[in-house]
Amino acid sequence: MPMLELEGIHAGYGAVKVLRDFNIRIDDGEIVTLIGANGAGKSTALLTISGVVKPTAGVVRYQGEDIAGVRTHELVGRGLAHSPEGRRIFARLTVHENLELGAYTRRDTQAVAKEIATTYELFPVLGQRREQPGGTLSGGEQQMLALGRALMSKPKLLLLDEPSLGLAPLIVRAIFDVLVKLRESGVTVLLVEQNARMALELADRGYVIETGEIRLSGPGKELLADERVRGAYLGESHDAA
């Protein structure tokens, strides 16, 4: 049984239709990436999965259950976490307090403390900054904090929106290395990423979205070699290939 399936999804914002007959599948333990141009509907797809945007048609099925009507905070309790574009940390709260808030659905305080320690192991700089307000961190540190906060709910499925946006290459590599560790630990990841090359190199499978519809899909390495993908999203012409 797939971890997540979207079948025939139509969704948008009022009269603005964004997703049209949108279909994807994510199996347990995979990293799947969704690539496409700005405005193609990538973030809307994640918001639809996490219950922020309500689909007007179709089915969102998580672990075999239709979750289209389930509230976002209930989904977090069921193991679905969303780290949105733009980080959206709590700027006035400390790093440690941000992480504690990420575990708001959990009551096992000892396990939460252990999870925070694990997060500091994944992102040592956060441990060094634990008493600093989140708003004083660099952009890369804030992205690490946003990812760490999402992991505090012990997700089975992590939705990750543009983690590399605006960050230095070394920070991006560190974040992608953490995604590899998450896959090894059994976390399933749906990754929306503007760095299509890195995303496809990492992902088990990928989908290409154009104007709200899936146009291409397949193993990450196959999409990376596809001339249509290379020309449109990797900045390579046929001649350059």
Side-chain angles (χ1 to χ4, degrees):
M1 178 177 66
M3 171 70 75
L4 180 76
E5 289 180 290
L6 276 68
E7 296 181 354
I9 291 293
H10 292 256
Y13 309 93
V16 179
K17 307 305 179 187
V18 180
L19 301 180
R20 304 173 181 85
D21 195 25
F22 183 85
N23 301 274
I24 64 172
R25 186 195 85 249
I26 304 171
D27 293 328
D28 190 21
E30 285 189 310
I31 294 179
V32 173
T33 189
L34 182 61
I35 65 171
N38 289 338
K42 303 185 300 296
S43 293
T44 299
L46 297 192
L47 291 169
T48 302
I49 296 165
S50 61
V52 177
V53 172
K54 305 301 181 185
T56 57
V59 178
V60 180
R61 191 176 293 112
Y62 171 62
Q63 294 188 309
E65 180 182 351
D66 184 0
I67 60 168
V70 179
R71 291 179 293 182
T72 299
H73 72 275
E74 294 175 351
L75 292 175
V76 174
R78 297 188 191 186
L80 195 159
H82 186 175
S83 181
E85 181 182 0
R87 297 147 200 166
R88 302 184 192 178
I89 63 167
F90 297 99
R92 295 184 180 181
L93 299 184
T94 67
V95 167
H96 200 82
E97 289 167 337
N98 268 274
L99 293 176
E100 288 179 325
L101 279 175
Y104 75 95
T105 61
R106 301 173 62 183
R107 298 293 177 263
D108 46 345
T109 55
Q110 289 186 336
V112 168
K114 184 178 179 180
E115 203 67 34
I116 290 177
T118 299
T119 300
Y120 290 151
E121 290 175 6
L122 282 174
F123 302 109
V125 69
L126 296 183
Q128 298 164 16
R129 308 272 196 272
R130 69 183 70 195
E131 299 303 325
Q132 283 187 219
T136 67
L137 302 181
S138 70
E141 292 164 352
Q142 289 187 15
Q143 183 60 66
M144 292 176 186
L145 180 55
L147 178 52
R149 184 181 61 189
L151 293 175
M152 285 302 301
S153 64
K154 286 292 278 186
K156 300 171 185 175
L157 173 62
L158 174 64
L159 311 179
L160 191 54
D161 197 352
E162 300 286 14
S164 79
L165 191 62
L167 302 184
L170 281 176
I171 300 295
V172 174
R173 175 50 61 190
I175 289 173
F176 272 65
D177 287 345
V178 167
L179 295 183
V180 172
K181 293 178 182 178
L182 292 178
R183 174 169 53 193
E184 291 171 350
S185 71
V187 178
T188 305
V189 179
L190 176 55
L191 171 67
V192 164
E193 174 53 50
Q194 47 100 25
N195 188 328
R197 182 182 298 280
M198 285 190 71
L200 291 171
E201 287 175 347
L202 172 70
D204 298 290
R205 293 186 300 109
Y207 291 91
V208 178
I209 180 174
E210 295 179 0
T211 59
E213 299 180 52
I214 297 299
R215 301 296 188 186
L216 293 170
S217 65
K221 297 295 191 294
E222 288 185 10
L223 289 177
L224 196 60
D226 190 292
E227 293 294 345
R228 294 164 293 181
V229 173
R230 294 174 70 171
Y233 303 107
L234 304 182
E236 299 179 7
S237 68
H238 180 75
D239 292 338

